[in-house]
Amino acid sequence: MPFLQYIRPDDGNLYDSTVVKIDLPKGAKPGDTVFLKINFETKLPSKIVRTGYNDDFYFAGQWFPKFGVYEAAGMRYASAGNWNCHQFHHNSEFYSNHSVYDVIITLPKHYVAGSGGMLLTEADNGNGEKTLTYRAEDIVDFAWTAWPSYVVFTEQWKHVKITLLLPEERKIQAERQMTAVKNALEYLETNVGPFPWPHLTFVDPPSKGDGAGGMEYTTLFTSSSFKGVPEFFHMPEMVTIHEFGHAYFMGILASNEFEEPWLDEGVNQFWESRIMDNYYGVNSSLVDHPLLSISDQFISRSSYVYSVNRQTITNKEYSWNYPHGTYSMMSYSKTAVILRTLMGLTGEETMNEIFREYYRKWAFRHPSGKDFISVVNEVVSKSHGDKFGPDMNWFFDQTLFGTGICDYKVSQITNKKNYNSDIKKDTLSKSSISFSEADSLYNSVVELERLGEIMLPVEVLIHFKNGNELLESWDGKSRYKDFFYDGKGKVEWVKIDPEYKIVMDVNFINNSMTLSPDRVPVRRISGKLTTLLQLFIGAITL
Amino acid sequence: MKLAYAIKTGLSRSLKAWKGIIVFWLISIFMVSFLVVPFKAGMKAVLGKSMITEKLTEGLNLDVLGDFGTNFTSMGASLFSGVLVLALAAILVNIFITGGFFDSVKSSDLKVTYQEFFRASAKNFWPFLVISSILYIIALLLIIVIIVVPVSIAGNAESAPEGIIFKTLAISGSVFILAISIVFLVADYARAWQAARAESAGFKALGFGFRQTFRTFFQSLGLMLLIIVLQVLVAWCVMKIIAIYTPSTGAGVFLLFIVSQLLLLVKILIKVLRYACVSSLMEQNLEIIQVPSAANSTSDYEIPHDLSPELKSETDV
């Protein structure tokens, strides 16, 4: 075909044949319609990596020629009209227009199929085969799956018909999966906006197709689990909610995952942890067992906070350019932690309003990161006036587009008895102090430090031995801050960010200090460890 | 009948060995302390005067441990390597102590003294080391053959049926429990036989252990499975208590420690019961009548010279 050529816009890799450029025989003017009829053949890989087949299991994703997105001047970062189409990368799959799909699939009669479309007709071909006709409107990608042993469950949630396909052996998990997706629908509809499609199909692939698990294609997504997942382990729910979140945000907003992966993965990760916390427990949303609790939020925070590469690069990179294996930590975890911190600063309702506005303004319109930030600026200004300054760019510049860390520390508490106080000196001498500790007069100093580069406003809770408490504010800009108190009762403990709102803080341990630390938990953990090790000794000896 | 008698006599003999049980319990705490005390000191040092411990009041919180930063990695690595050293030390100490246990649970009316317990431990150490070393190697091979290989094959099968790993694990686990019961029986018969002899004969004892195990297979296996179930039950109770009870006061922590240690003492008692029952069963099957030893014997008891022909053939191996 003389007008067709492979191009490699991202890395010039000559072995990459995932993007094709077609020069039209005749130029198309604005308003013209161009019809393309493409005959294509797809060879599915036999080892399933997101797409492919294994034995009699098939999952077809990224299986047809898909248009790039034409960005007119002014759209996203485009200064002039141009096509935006990237090569297929391991780390990113999506940036495409909302389109209408009419798909006809012919397959052996005994196969059970599911797709991102609504099933319009099913015809028996009389030769041991059947033909299924699907239609899907305004979705960014169309995927389908077929396997003879799927068990199908359907439920109606408001306007959405939900279909779940999973192996017979995992039937018992169907209710858990259905509940998870309904929770996600309810939470996002309440706090962001409605799910616009009347149908949603999700698949829990069998073991032989587990390479297809954990993916999203708007109205079809795949979860991941295994037979006999214990009730206390909410991994299937987490994957379902995560992938549904993609189907929702990427499906509706369709940002550019190639160029701004944080806007897809990070935003979704943030909402995943909120949904998980809301329905499965704040501290135990992922693992809820008497011996061990793990929250969904912990996964995000730990992945960023404890990463040795947390200061290697900013979030300005294209998905395939993140060095030293930082893609996942930066795109998913750091962004989720940043958004959690933003919610900690501005409040949950403001955060919900930000996303409602983002949805209202940008649904089906391919927003960019700057569009999201401008919505944040607009809503925060409306909700909080100039409490945080004229805009929130200072926040994103430091966190999303910076490499600094956030770490505040209580470095010292000092309490000096004030023997020279005017109130007491007439009645007491140094040698005859008989008044109670709580009534003593003290000069107390609380010393705080900022160890990281990121400067965020923080609250400081100061507790006095006589029971009084003060909630101080610190803009967090200077390298250190001292608070002075003269009066009855000495400072007993101090907490920076007492409600742990600034989850970006890389060390919560140094956020507080007390004069009488509670050693009971350490003793308890040590005692339990002693017993466990004794059991271990008993188990390994003859 | 033999089984009931073995359990009955085993119970009284194991109670008679209470001094050894206390010794073993104290040693286990002492050994574990080498690991736990530095760990506790490390935790205290990292936490300092922080109030983050409030996040630990409801149990272990990974978020807090994560904030240990590089200390967490260091402490985890130390703990891991410490556990390996502990395992090795525990195996050696166990080999030593079981020498005293098997001597204590022999048929005898004499009281068990600390001196006699440790003398028997020292006397039996080398043959018990031979017996244990060989049986540990066998146990390791069993783990590889019965569990690791089948589960790996099932896990790597591209078109394996749903849940095959769990099914394989369940079947392998069941087979392994049976196999390890046999290893325990061989170990116990071998050690009981060795403990009844004045001279060291680790390999001969092992040979006896195998023969005796398979000669009285179903009887011995039944006894062993019963005792294993009892041990697992006690271990499960300990785990359950540790998991459920999360005290927030010093007194509560102390109470938890006492209760769990009492249960661990019961667990050690059941282990000694196993030794005693197997010893008793062996004596019944071989018709050993133990009598006070000759004045020049290294032990107070040894196998008499007027043995039945069957026992003679066993002891003259």
Side-chain angles (χ1 to χ4, degrees):
Chain A
M1 192 178 193
F3 310 113
L4 184 148
Q5 61 173 312
Y6 287 112
I7 56 169
R8 290 94 189 177
D10 299 337
D11 57 10
N13 175 9
L14 294 176
Y15 297 100
D16 187 308
S17 305
T18 56
V19 180
V20 70
K21 182 182 169 193
I22 300 169
D23 288 324
L24 299 178
K26 204 173 99 186
K29 293 183 185 127
D32 280 358
T33 302
V34 177
F35 291 94
L36 285 179
K37 185 179 177 187
I38 303 173
N39 289 319
F40 67 95
E41 194 172 285
T42 296
K43 187 177 179 187
L44 291 174
S46 61
K47 172 80 179 167
I48 301 177
V49 184
R50 296 186 172 165
T51 181
Y53 73 95
N54 184 6
D55 194 20
D56 54 354
F57 173 85
Y58 290 83
F59 194 94
Q62 309 286 0
W63 57 283
F64 60 93
K66 199 163 54 175
F67 279 97
V69 176
Y70 184 79
E71 294 185 338
M75 181 181 164
R76 295 182 69 255
Y77 303 99
S79 50
N82 210 342
W83 285 96
N84 189 310
C85 187
H86 292 283
Q87 292 161 232
F88 187 76
H89 294 278
H90 176 68
N91 283 335
S92 53
E93 302 90 1
F94 299 108
Y95 184 46
S96 46
N97 281 317
H98 294 90
S99 311
V100 176
Y101 292 85
D102 287 306
V103 180
I104 299 164
I105 301 171
T106 300
L107 70 174
K109 215 171 140 184
H110 66 289
Y111 268 77
V112 180
S115 82
M118 286 180 85
L119 181 65
L120 298 182
T121 60
E122 178 172 347
D124 187 344
N125 298 346
N127 58 353
E129 291 180 346
K130 61 182 175 184
T131 297
L132 309 171
T133 308
Y134 292 100
R135 184 179 174 83
E137 295 180 356
D138 301 324
I139 61 172
V140 295
D141 202 350
F142 188 98
W144 59 275
T145 179
W147 184 48
S149 307
Y150 274 132
V151 180
V152 181
F153 291 83
T154 54
E155 272 192 41
Q156 189 72 31
W157 181 86
K158 294 186 180 174
H159 63 286
V160 187
K161 185 190 173 192
I162 308 169
T163 305
L164 164 64
L165 285 79
L166 78 177
E168 170 84 25
E169 292 81 358
R170 293 185 212 161
K171 266 195 322 194
I172 197 166
Q173 287 162 212
E175 197 184 330
R176 285 175 67 174
Q177 293 278 25
M178 276 289 187
T179 304
V181 83
K182 285 190 285 185
N183 287 342
L185 273 162
E186 179 185 74
Y187 198 83
L188 289 174
E189 182 158 294
T190 306
N191 295 304
V192 183
F195 184 72
W197 297 279
H199 57 96
L200 175 67
T201 299
F202 71 118
V203 184
D204 187 6
S207 306
K208 65 171 82 173
D210 58 5
M215 270 303 291
E216 72 282 2
Y217 305 90
T218 314
T219 41
L220 176 128
F221 69 89
T222 58
S223 182
S224 181
S225 75
F226 52 89
K227 186 187 172 189
V229 183
E231 286 286 330
F232 68 81
F233 186 36
H234 301 143
M235 186 272 278
E237 287 89 343
M238 186 194 78
V239 181
T240 294
I241 289 169
H242 182 91
E243 301 309 334
F244 171 75
H246 276 307
Y248 181 90
F249 286 106
M250 176 53 76
I252 296 169
L253 296 152
S255 55
N256 190 330
E257 192 194 358
F258 294 91
E259 296 182 2
E260 293 175 306
W262 66 269
L263 199 53
D264 174 41
E265 296 292 359
V267 164
N268 186 39
Q269 185 82 4
F270 164 72
W271 281 96
E272 172 208 306
S273 73
R274 285 188 65 185
I275 297 168
M276 289 293 290
D277 284 0
N278 187 66
Y279 291 99
Y280 302 99
V282 173
N283 294 317
S284 52
S285 51
L286 187 57
V287 176
D288 186 8
H289 190 270
L291 265 183
L292 183 67
S293 301
I294 302 176
S295 67
D296 188 278
Q297 196 190 151
F298 166 76
I299 303 297
S300 300
R301 181 170 179 265
S302 59
S303 163
Y304 160 63
V305 164
Y306 314 132
S307 167
V308 290
N309 298 320
R310 66 190 178 194
Q311 294 186 270
T312 303
I313 198 159
T314 74
N315 277 80
K316 277 179 183 162
E317 290 300 322
Y318 285 1
S319 64
W320 60 92
N321 276 342
Y322 282 91
H324 304 174
T326 53
Y327 164 77
S328 169
M329 180 269 292
M330 292 298 293
S331 304
Y332 290 70
S333 309
K334 187 181 175 185
T335 310
V337 167
I338 289 169
L339 293 175
R340 272 271 177 182
T341 303
L342 182 64
M343 185 165 83
L345 290 172
T346 61
E348 190 174 337
E349 195 36 53
T350 302
M351 203 64 183
N352 291 344
E353 192 48 39
I354 287 169
F355 277 92
R356 280 187 206 116
E357 186 61 20
Y358 181 49
Y359 179 104
R360 274 194 293 264
K361 251 187 180 160
W362 290 102
F364 302 99
R365 292 185 57 212
H366 306 300
S368 66
K370 71 176 169 56
D371 299 323
F372 173 74
I373 291 169
S374 91
V375 170
V376 172
N377 290 337
E378 186 188 321
V379 175
V380 171
S381 276
K382 206 182 286 175
S383 308
H384 296 279
D386 60 356
K387 181 183 171 187
F388 297 105
D391 58 46
M392 295 299 285
N393 292 347
W394 60 269
F395 176 82
F396 291 106
D397 288 344
Q398 291 185 92
T399 56
L400 199 62
F401 306 126
T403 55
I405 57 161
C406 174
D407 189 10
Y408 286 99
K409 177 190 176 185
V410 179
S411 52
Q412 186 99 8
I413 300 172
T414 48
N415 294 292
K416 282 186 186 162
K417 266 188 182 169
N418 185 350
Y419 296 113
N420 300 319
S421 160
D422 291 340
I423 304 165
K424 292 285 178 185
K425 71 180 177 186
D426 299 335
T427 53
L428 295 166
S429 69
K430 283 182 186 178
S431 57
S432 62
I433 300 169
S434 58
F435 55 90
S436 73
E437 278 286 305
D439 291 335
S440 301
L441 286 176
Y442 286 95
N443 298 132
S444 302
V445 185
V446 172
E447 298 173 18
L448 312 177
E449 287 178 32
R450 173 172 62 80
L451 303 180
E453 298 84 3
I454 292 178
M455 295 175 272
L456 299 176
V458 288
E459 291 173 334
V460 184
L461 184 63
I462 294 157
H463 179 91
F464 295 85
K465 198 156 188 182
N466 60 16
N468 289 343
E469 282 189 352
L470 277 174
L471 186 64
E472 304 274 12
S473 294
W474 177 28
D475 63 12
K477 287 180 179 166
S478 55
R479 272 289 175 186
Y480 67 92
K481 172 81 178 172
D482 296 341
F483 289 104
F484 299 92
Y485 304 97
D486 296 328
K488 287 180 181 179
K490 59 183 177 183
V491 172
E492 191 177 28
W493 54 255
V494 178
K495 283 183 191 173
I496 298 175
D497 184 26
E499 291 174 40
Y500 301 101
K501 291 174 183 172
I502 314 290
V503 291
M504 282 205 85
D505 194 310
V506 295
N507 185 357
F508 281 156
I509 293 175
N510 65 10
N511 278 29
S512 57
M513 184 178 279
T514 175
L515 298 181
S516 45
D518 180 10
R519 299 291 185 211
V520 170
V522 175
R523 284 189 205 126
R524 191 186 63 231
I525 291 168
S526 306
K528 286 186 175 183
L529 183 64
T530 302
T531 309
L532 284 173
L533 287 171
Q534 284 174 282
L535 273 178
F536 169 71
I537 286 178
I540 60 159
T541 48
L542 287 172
Chain B
M1 276 304 288
K2 278 184 179 177
L3 205 59
Y5 182 74
I7 293 170
K8 191 182 149 199
T9 51
L11 201 58
S12 64
R13 289 180 192 188
S14 54
L15 288 172
K16 201 181 71 180
W18 67 271
K19 285 179 180 168
I21 292 171
I22 299 288
V23 166
F24 187 67
W25 172 67
L26 284 173
I27 289 176
S28 75
I29 288 198
F30 189 67
M31 284 195 302
V32 166
S33 299
F34 276 109
L35 204 58
V36 175
V37 171
F39 178 78
K40 188 175 167 185
M43 276 189 87
K44 276 186 182 172
V46 176
L47 291 169
K49 292 180 175 178
S50 176
M51 296 175 74
I52 195 80
T53 46
E54 68 192 6
K55 280 193 157 195
L56 295 170
T57 49
E58 287 176 12
L60 207 55
N61 185 314
L62 280 183
D63 216 352
V64 177
L65 296 185
D67 276 337
F68 277 32
T70 49
N71 296 304
F72 180 61
T73 322
S74 314
M75 285 172 73
S78 309
L79 197 62
F80 180 72
S81 43
V83 166
L84 294 181
V85 175
L86 175 72
L88 189 65
I91 287 170
L92 287 173
V93 168
N94 184 260
I95 288 168
F96 178 75
I97 295 288
T98 45
F101 275 134
F102 274 98
D103 193 68
S104 306
V105 297
K106 281 192 312 194
S107 169
S108 144
D109 293 330
L110 292 185
K111 281 176 72 178
V112 179
T113 63
Y114 285 115
Q115 291 91 329
E116 188 52 39
F117 182 85
F118 285 115
R119 191 180 301 150
S121 296
K123 184 209 117 193
N124 291 322
F125 181 74
W126 290 110
F128 275 30
L129 182 65
V130 171
I131 295 166
S132 299
S133 302
I134 292 171
L135 290 176
Y136 270 116
I137 291 169
I138 292 173
L140 196 66
L141 289 172
L142 287 173
I143 290 173
I144 293 169
V145 172
I146 298 176
I147 298 178
V148 178
V149 172
V151 172
S152 304
I153 291 171
N156 288 307
E158 280 198 7
S159 301
E162 187 73 14
I164 188 71
I165 294 179
F166 291 101
K167 280 177 196 157
T168 312
L169 204 57
I171 294 167
S172 296
S174 308
V175 174
F176 180 73
I177 287 171
L178 280 177
I180 204 70
S181 304
I182 295 167
V183 171
F184 284 158
L185 277 171
V186 173
D188 291 354
Y189 276 128
R191 289 182 293 184
W193 185 84
Q194 173 61 52
R197 290 174 68 95
E199 75 276 18
S200 296
F203 288 104
K204 285 182 181 175
L206 208 51
F208 172 82
F210 275 106
R211 272 199 304 281
Q212 191 63 12
T213 297
F214 289 106
R215 189 171 289 172
T216 60
F217 187 71
F218 291 107
Q219 189 183 43
S220 304
L221 191 67
L223 174 74
M224 185 54 70
L225 288 174
L226 181 73
I227 292 173
I228 286 177
V229 167
L230 276 177
Q231 281 192 307
V232 169
L233 271 178
V234 175
W236 180 81
C237 280
V238 176
M239 296 284 287
K240 200 75 186 165
I241 288 170
I242 286 179
I244 292 171
Y245 190 36
T246 307
S248 53
T249 61
V253 171
F254 184 68
L255 183 67
L256 174 68
F257 186 72
I258 295 296
V259 170
S260 53
Q261 290 303 316
L262 282 174
L263 281 168
L264 283 174
L265 268 169
V266 172
K267 193 167 175 291
I268 299 171
L269 176 70
I270 296 171
K271 198 167 199 175
V272 178
L273 173 69
R274 193 186 96 197
Y275 301 155
C277 289
V278 172
S279 295
S280 172
L281 205 58
M282 181 191 80
E283 288 163 13
Q284 288 179 69
N285 286 326
L286 299 183
E287 295 171 14
I288 292 177
I289 304 149
Q290 298 210 328
V291 292
S293 64
N296 59 352
S297 169
T298 52
S299 168
D300 286 349
Y301 305 96
E302 70 179 3
I303 297 167
H305 296 290
D306 55 341
L307 299 172
S308 66
E310 187 190 10
L311 178 58
K312 207 159 201 170
S313 68
E314 292 293 350
T315 53
D316 290 346
V317 171

